[in-house]
Amino acid sequence: MMRTRPLKVALLGCGVVGSEVARIMTTHADDLAARIGAPVELAGIAVRRPGRVRDGVPEELITTDATALVKRGDIDVVVEVIGGIEPARTLITTAFEHGASVVSANKALLAGDGAALHAAAEKHGADLYYEAAVAGAIPLVRPLRESLAGDKVNRVLGIVNGTTNFILDKMDTSGAGYSEALDEATALGYAEADPTADVEAFDAAAKAAILAGIAFHTRVRLDDVYREGMTEVTAADFASAKQMGCTIKLLAICERAADGQSVTARVHPAMIPLSHPLASVREAYNAVFVEAEAAGQLMFYGPGAGGAPTASAVLGDLVAVCRNKLGEATGPGESAYTRLPVSPMGEVVTRYHISLDVADKPGVLAQVATVFAEHDVSIDTVRQKGKDGEASLVVVTHRAPDAALSATVGALRGLDTVRGVASIMRVEGE
Amino acid sequence: MMRTRPLKVALLGCGVVGSEVARIMTTHADDLAARIGAPVELAGIAVRRPGRVRDGVPEELITTDATALVKRGDIDVVVEVIGGIEPARTLITTAFEHGASVVSANKALLAGDGAALHAAAEKHGADLYYEAAVAGAIPLVRPLRESLAGDKVNRVLGIVNGTTNFILDKMDTSGAGYSEALDEATALGYAEADPTADVEAFDAAAKAAILAGIAFHTRVRLDDVYREGMTEVTAADFASAKQMGCTIKLLAICERAADGQSVTARVHPAMIPLSHPLASVREAYNAVFVEAEAAGQLMFYGPGAGGAPTASAVLGDLVAVCRNKLGEATGPGESAYTRLPVSPMGEVVTRYHISLDVADKPGVLAQVATVFAEHDVSIDTVRQKGKDGEASLVVVTHRAPDAALSATVGALRGLDTVRGVASIMRVEGE
């Protein structure tokens, strides 16, 4: 039954992920052949710096000319693990033009240009698979695209960035501040030298855009995703969270509006109850909740990054794409038929936890409560603490549109008796 | 782009799951059409008792002649949610012979006859999908078959039966005995009038056979799965588990042997540490851990049964099978190329927690310890309690082959000073 001419794979990038892909393709060649129905051969590996290629990667396959590799004409599948927008975008497009299907782990590119790439794939009858772009080894793209294809997803809520989860977990368990926890993450290799993409939530926002698009069968671009990083989260916030029976996580939240006519996608730190399964996701692990009409609540958990886990997702896609090639078929392409618009953050309905520094005198609480009432924001609980003429008020609201909550905070800042807004954090997962 | 001739679906069975499938196919027809690329039409529904058809199911589609429906010749996909071996097996085979692909939720049939059914599907160029057969709505078959197709799965460990998890959870949280907890499960609709299939672990064993086969790319039949029900678990066992920082779950465990040359599959109650994520799976939920070489530890969690969740899995498969039909392709079929043999339970390496009633006199512990040593079973901890001339010994072993552990228990029963073996339970998940 097995075809003898091997399928040829071009690997673009040979860093942490690429070298694992090359290693597994070599050591597990027989298994891959049996599962695909034909042998699969690494035809070339494009790298920027040939001197830095890792042990175990076949040197004779290395080239610095990625474009020539992709244009060779005999490549069946291009595996792109370079990351970033260019040259990845041009190489992928060129791959499609030369008859190859593509497996990519590139979240930034897919979040920014997914629609154009899907269109190019469809035009050339090729596949574009990207399980590795979201939450590493955790099967998430395929379950959403395929397993839940007969269901209606209403919500995706998850921890999709391991670096920030490591830092927040550290702050939670050790009482450390943000910079101390970041230093530890850097020392242990969980954070990069420049941690901006992680801690400012650009990475998580790209994943949220991809997940929202697939979940709701619409187009969600990176710019549509509301984004707040987690560099302002303090040890005091964790103390407040504990008093509420909560912890703090950086969450990606994609929701269908109650009327079903729009969707929202956002990434920000939030308090969640300790009883919520996401609260116990430790270290650099990722976990994503999916709520669907018929299926109910599903959770997917696992390592969200790292060379081997990401390679596992890449190779799963590679097997599928190779099978499609052999069967002269293509897998599911972009599904954006609902054309649901993405609403701005102001329309998201959520809850706020607000800490105010206020003057310690009678009537302050009444004043503050009036501001909430004027903005139609209902208060759930208030905690008041006073000492030495200073006092603090901690207010937790009921659910209200983010715009109303935000306007309330603006008005509170304008009160003479409010000396400062110490912190604002959303409360989710209840 | 959209084809106008609809794909025709025959639904076999219209109970709790079937009526949900029919309902969603009717109410979400537009979404299904958009996702498939062609409209999909319910062409007929075969039931045994037409008088018992539920509200919302189109009456004009009902027939009692399932065979005629399957043989009509214009059916693209047969959805089988009857359960049991016959007539399901014959109907599925007939469906393949008449050009239809099949989506089934039938774990007993797939565990018993999966190989023959896969062969029939392949012979006729048809698909056989069965995500709903294992763990209801939780995507598990597709992730194992496809997402992890480029990885090497070493272990699958999970709670795959909601009824027994509900009962054990109840015993754990309320201190109730088995029959009291079973009564509550029955009253709430979590247990059937005859709970044998669940509590004697036949249901979980079928799922273990299916999961092991897919995970290890080999054939594992129901008869290959070691099975122990949970009717003997007592409140005293839960008390012992708590003393060890554990709880008790009915686990399905599929493992690749350390030398990689064989696999094992088993279902039995076991103690697992409270710190293990499976320990906190409550009520009727299911959760499955998958350990793969590159991916690491993944967990999948969700509702393991129920009409709507199971229908969600069926419809996800229906969309995939319909897309394959349109593209004149088939999805992945059986993958059993490794032909790894299934080893008997005696070769499984595990740990035992053993409670012994012993005579309260000097030298008993020495005698007992000698028996363990004679069987090459190393003891981890011993707890000794004495009162009124009677005493009990609780021994927890290190890892050893199940045959050695079992022989040790046999020899202990033969000691004069051992009055009885109060309980034996395996310890997993460490």
Side-chain angles (χ1 to χ4, degrees):
Chain A
M1 289 285 290
M2 196 176 291
R3 203 175 82 149
T4 47
R5 187 178 77 70
L7 286 148
K8 293 194 176 174
V9 175
L11 178 61
L12 309 183
C14 202
V16 180
V17 177
S19 56
E20 271 299 313
V21 170
R23 190 188 64 74
I24 296 172
M25 283 187 68
T26 312
T27 55
H28 290 51
D30 291 346
D31 280 317
L32 293 171
R35 295 173 193 185
I36 290 167
V40 59
E41 175 187 296
L42 204 44
I45 305 173
V47 300
R48 270 194 305 178
R49 283 170 295 223
R52 290 179 52 183
V53 169
R54 283 153 204 263
D55 287 347
V57 174
E59 261 187 72
E60 64 281 10
L61 298 178
I62 301 291
T63 170
T64 54
D65 192 344
T67 306
L69 176 59
V70 164
K71 284 186 171 174
R72 254 171 58 165
D74 65 340
I75 301 297
D76 295 289
V77 184
V78 169
V79 173
E80 182 271 306
V81 288
I82 307 173
I85 304 302
E86 285 294 352
R89 177 167 51 192
T90 303
L91 289 168
I92 289 176
T93 311
T94 309
F96 290 141
E97 286 162 4
H98 288 76
S101 282
V102 172
V103 174
S104 171
N106 195 325
K107 56 205 157 250
L109 182 56
L110 278 148
D113 281 296
L117 293 176
H118 274 293
E122 193 178 345
K123 183 178 161 191
H124 293 94
D127 272 330
L128 172 61
Y129 275 48
Y130 47 91
E131 183 67 76
V134 185
I138 310 173
L140 210 50
V141 173
R142 185 175 274 103
L144 281 171
R145 281 222 283 197
E146 303 182 42
S147 306
L148 289 164
D151 206 333
K152 184 174 179 184
V153 176
N154 288 320
R155 196 150 184 255
V156 177
L157 170 75
I159 295 166
V160 295
N161 181 277
T163 305
T164 49
N165 199 59
F166 183 90
I167 295 170
L168 290 170
D169 184 29
K170 214 29 80 181
M171 291 173 74
D172 186 28
T173 52
S174 73
Y178 166 71
S179 8
E180 196 187 328
L182 172 62
D183 288 347
E184 186 172 347
T186 311
L188 292 170
Y190 287 113
E192 294 181 48
D194 175 359
T196 311
D198 292 317
V199 300
E200 295 295 353
F202 289 100
D203 174 87
K207 292 164 178 171
I210 295 171
L211 289 174
I214 301 172
F216 304 131
H217 297 266
T218 191
R219 279 191 190 145
V220 179
R221 287 175 51 91
L222 189 48
D223 299 345
D224 297 325
V225 180
Y226 175 81
R227 180 187 54 77
E228 254 177 53
M230 46 69 74
T231 58
E232 315 271 293
V233 178
T234 63
D237 291 328
F238 272 100
S240 293
K242 278 200 178 115
Q243 284 188 316
M244 282 184 65
C246 285
T247 186
I248 298 169
K249 293 292 186 186
L250 181 71
L251 298 178
I253 306 175
C254 313
E255 288 172 311
R256 190 188 289 275
D259 67 1
Q261 297 310 301
S262 64
V263 301
T264 52
R266 51 191 167 116
V267 180
H268 54 71
M271 294 186 183
I272 55 165
L274 292 172
S275 59
H276 195 284
L278 291 179
S280 53
V281 175
R282 291 272 111 86
E283 304 197 323
Y285 277 86
N286 282 194
V288 176
F289 253 78
V290 176
E291 288 176 26
E293 199 176 78
Q297 286 204 330
L298 304 172
M299 189 173 81
F300 303 81
Y301 168 95
T310 308
S312 171
V314 165
L315 287 160
D317 279 353
L318 180 66
V319 169
V321 165
C322 286
R323 288 194 75 257
N324 290 344
K325 274 262 168 195
L326 285 184
E328 294 178 1
T330 52
E334 188 191 26
S335 174
Y337 70 92
T338 64
R339 296 182 197 288
L340 290 171
V342 184
S343 298
M345 187 61 191
E347 293 179 24
V348 165
V349 176
T350 181
R351 298 174 61 195
Y352 272 25
H353 175 283
I354 307 164
S355 298
L356 302 171
D357 295 326
V358 296
D360 190 10
K361 56 183 184 184
V364 173
L365 176 54
Q367 259 192 322
V368 165
T370 303
V371 170
F372 278 88
E374 282 168 357
H375 290 84
D376 259 343
V377 173
S378 159
I379 292 175
D380 180 12
T381 59
V382 180
R383 253 194 347 263
Q384 203 162 186
K385 283 186 294 191
K387 56 163 198 239
D388 310 329
E390 303 233 331
S392 72
L393 271 186
V394 175
V395 181
V396 181
T397 72
H398 283 294
R399 283 161 60 80
D402 200 81
L405 290 160
S406 171
T408 306
V409 173
L412 289 171
R413 286 188 208 271
L415 291 181
D416 282 352
T417 48
V418 171
R419 298 196 176 143
V421 178
S423 89
I424 308 163
M425 195 157 306
R426 294 180 187 88
V427 183
E428 303 286 341
E430 291 171 309
Chain B
M1 290 288 289
M2 196 178 290
R3 201 175 82 147
T4 49
R5 186 177 78 70
L7 288 148
K8 292 194 178 174
V9 175
L11 179 59
L12 309 183
C14 201
V16 180
V17 177
S19 56
E20 271 298 314
V21 170
R23 191 188 65 72
I24 296 172
M25 283 188 68
T26 311
T27 55
H28 291 52
D30 291 347
D31 281 317
L32 293 172
R35 295 173 192 184
I36 290 166
V40 59
E41 177 188 295
L42 205 44
I45 305 174
V47 299
R48 269 194 302 177
R49 284 170 293 224
R52 290 179 53 182
V53 169
R54 282 152 204 262
D55 288 347
V57 174
E59 261 186 71
E60 66 280 11
L61 298 179
I62 302 292
T63 171
T64 52
D65 192 344
T67 307
L69 176 59
V70 165
K71 284 185 171 174
R72 255 172 57 166
D74 64 341
I75 301 297
D76 295 290
V77 185
V78 169
V79 173
E80 184 271 306
V81 287
I82 306 174
I85 305 303
E86 285 295 354
R89 177 168 51 192
T90 304
L91 289 168
I92 289 175
T93 313
T94 309
F96 291 141
E97 287 163 4
H98 286 78
S101 282
V102 172
V103 175
S104 171
N106 195 328
K107 55 209 157 247
L109 182 55
L110 279 148
D113 282 297
L117 292 176
H118 275 294
E122 193 178 346
K123 182 177 161 196
H124 294 95
D127 273 330
L128 172 61
Y129 275 50
Y130 48 91
E131 181 68 76
V134 186
I138 310 173
L140 210 52
V141 173
R142 186 175 273 102
L144 282 172
R145 281 222 283 199
E146 303 182 41
S147 306
L148 290 164
D151 206 334
K152 184 175 180 183
V153 176
N154 287 321
R155 194 149 186 257
V156 177
L157 171 74
I159 295 166
V160 295
N161 180 276
T163 305
T164 48
N165 199 59
F166 183 91
I167 295 170
L168 290 169
D169 185 27
K170 211 34 74 177
M171 291 174 74
D172 186 28
T173 52
S174 73
Y178 166 70
S179 8
E180 195 186 329
L182 172 61
D183 287 347
E184 186 172 346
T186 312
L188 291 170
Y190 286 114
E192 293 181 49
D194 176 0
T196 311
D198 293 318
V199 300
E200 295 296 352
F202 289 100
D203 174 89
K207 291 163 178 172
I210 295 171
L211 289 174
I214 301 173
F216 304 130
H217 297 266
T218 190
R219 280 193 191 145
V220 180
R221 288 175 51 91
L222 189 48
D223 299 344
D224 297 326
V225 181
Y226 174 80
R227 182 188 54 77
E228 252 176 55
M230 44 70 75
T231 58
E232 316 271 293
V233 177
T234 63
D237 290 330
F238 272 101
S240 292
K242 278 203 178 110
Q243 284 189 319
M244 281 185 66
C246 285
T247 186
I248 298 169
K249 295 290 186 187
L250 181 71
L251 299 178
I253 307 174
C254 313
E255 288 172 313
R256 191 187 289 275
D259 67 1
Q261 298 310 302
S262 64
V263 302
T264 52
R266 52 191 166 118
V267 180
H268 54 71
M271 294 186 183
I272 54 165
L274 292 172
S275 59
H276 195 285
L278 291 180
S280 53
V281 175
R282 290 272 110 83
E283 305 198 323
Y285 276 88
N286 283 192
V288 177
F289 255 78
V290 176
E291 289 176 27
E293 197 176 81
Q297 285 205 330
L298 304 172
M299 189 175 78
F300 304 80
Y301 167 94
T310 308
S312 171
V314 165
L315 287 160
D317 279 354
L318 180 65
V319 169
V321 166
C322 286
R323 288 193 75 258
N324 290 345
K325 274 262 165 192
L326 285 184
E328 293 176 2
T330 50
E334 188 190 25
S335 175
Y337 70 92
T338 64
R339 298 181 196 285
L340 290 171
V342 184
S343 298
M345 186 62 193
E347 293 180 24
V348 165
V349 176
T350 182
R351 298 174 62 196
Y352 272 23
H353 174 284
I354 306 164
S355 299
L356 303 171
D357 295 325
V358 296
D360 190 10
K361 55 183 187 185
V364 175
L365 177 55
Q367 259 193 319
V368 166
T370 304
V371 170
F372 279 88
E374 281 168 357
H375 290 84
D376 257 343
V377 173
S378 158
I379 292 175
D380 181 13
T381 59
V382 180
R383 253 193 348 263
Q384 202 162 186
K385 280 186 296 189
K387 59 163 193 245
D388 310 329
E390 304 236 328
S392 73
L393 271 186
V394 175
V395 180
V396 181
T397 73
H398 282 296
R399 283 162 59 81
D402 199 81
L405 290 161
S406 174
T408 307
V409 172
L412 289 171
R413 287 188 207 271
L415 292 181
D416 283 349
T417 48
V418 171
R419 301 199 174 141
V421 179
S423 89
I424 309 163
M425 195 158 307
R426 295 179 185 89
V427 183
E428 303 286 340
E430 288 170 310

